Every structure is written in structure tokens, then in C-alpha cells.
Amino acid sequence: MFSLFVFKGGYNAYRVRGPLSVLFASVILTGCAISTPLGPIFGSTEDKTTTGSIPEQDIRLNASMTDADWQQAKAALQAGMDPQNPGASIAWSSMTTGVHGLVTPVADSYVENKLTCRSFVAAQGGQGPAQWYQGKSCRKSGTAWSIVSVQPWALPHV
């Protein structure tokens, strides 16, 4: 430890030891405040934590659909994707915006990653020329159908 040194004015090392130990402890403990990812130390670097704070966003036919448009289109999607539907088109229309369309399943339902899925084509009109989309909708057992993927679809030229 420190030996007793007496300096002019009565200053000695024992008086310094208290403040030095506080300074030393604060420097050591400062490391506890540093934020670092511990994933590489304890396992995966990927955070797979699922929380309920942010609801999963619905994928819509297109980004310009209003909530009113989407509610109507989503109801048609639910009816159209039903495995009991033999492939009939289901029409939808939004009275609020005048936008309307069709949802048509194009294949039987199938299982993918423990989800029941079905492919579809959809049309949307009412504001400009009709737009066509192709996509895939899936659902977990007992839940509503959700669009998993959708992209613009061009009608084949005959």
C-alpha cells in the first residue's frame, strides 16, 4: 500500500487514498455502463424475441389502398381463399372511395411451413385503369387469411 509521506502543509498519502480509491472504483465500474451485444458470447447474434407491442402489418394489394378499400378487399380475400371455394371470383367494392375489384383463387390450397396457403389473382379498378395482381395468401389453423406475397400481374397477350 501507501507508505506515510508527509509533505509540507500536513498533506499525506492517507488523505489521498480515499479520493483515489473512489476514482479507481468509478473507472472500473464505468465499464458496466458500456452497452455491447452479448449474443456472440452467449449464443446467437440474432434477436428472435417476439413481442406484442407492434402488430404485424397487413400486406395489401398495393400501397395506395385506403383502410376502407382494404377492409372490403380483405373480406373478399377471406371468402375467396376458403378451401370450400371452387375457384369462383369474389367481388368487393368500397363505397367510401369507389374503388372495387375481384379476388380469384387460381389453385387448390396446399400446406407450406405448417401454414395452409392458396395462390390468387386480383383486380382493382375505380381510379384509373384496372390493375392486376398475383399473390399468395396463407393462414394458420383457425386464423384469417393474410397476404404473404403480392406483385403486379400483366394479363397475357393473345
Side-chain angles (χ1 to χ4, degrees):
M1 267 316 214
F2 294 101
S3 58
L4 182 60
F5 293 104
V6 178
F7 299 99
K8 287 186 179 179
Y11 187 75
N12 67 42
Y14 284 119
R15 289 187 194 160
V16 175
R17 184 172 58 182
L20 278 180
S21 58
V22 170
L23 177 65
F24 182 74
S26 65
V27 168
I28 294 297
L29 294 175
T30 304
C32 295
I34 296 172
S35 176
T36 181
L38 298 176
I41 297 171
F42 296 111
S44 173
T45 60
E46 184 177 330
D47 182 12
K48 296 180 182 178
T49 305
T50 302
T51 65
S53 60
I54 301 174
E56 190 173 310
Q57 185 82 19
D58 275 339
I59 297 176
R60 301 177 181 198
L61 295 178
N62 63 54
S64 67
M65 290 185 87
T66 67
D67 288 342
D69 297 340
W70 177 236
Q71 290 307 315
Q72 297 301 316
K74 191 174 183 179
L77 179 76
Q78 299 306 312
M81 297 298 103
D82 186 331
Q84 302 303 315
N85 183 3
S89 296
I90 306 295
W92 62 272
S93 179
S94 173
M95 297 299 191
T96 308
T97 62
V99 175
H100 57 275
L102 295 170
V103 175
T104 308
V106 293
D108 290 334
S109 59
Y110 57 94
V111 176
E112 181 179 289
N113 297 328
K114 299 181 182 178
L115 301 173
T116 302
C117 299
R118 197 163 187 192
S119 297
F120 67 89
V121 293
Q124 178 183 333
Q127 295 177 343
Q131 298 171 323
W132 288 86
Y133 303 94
Q134 64 183 7
K136 177 173 70 171
S137 182
C138 296
R139 72 173 178 168
K140 291 180 182 175
S141 180
T143 62
W145 292 88
S146 297
I147 295 176
V148 176
S149 63
V150 66
Q151 62 188 26
W153 181 60
L155 291 171
H157 298 302
V158 186

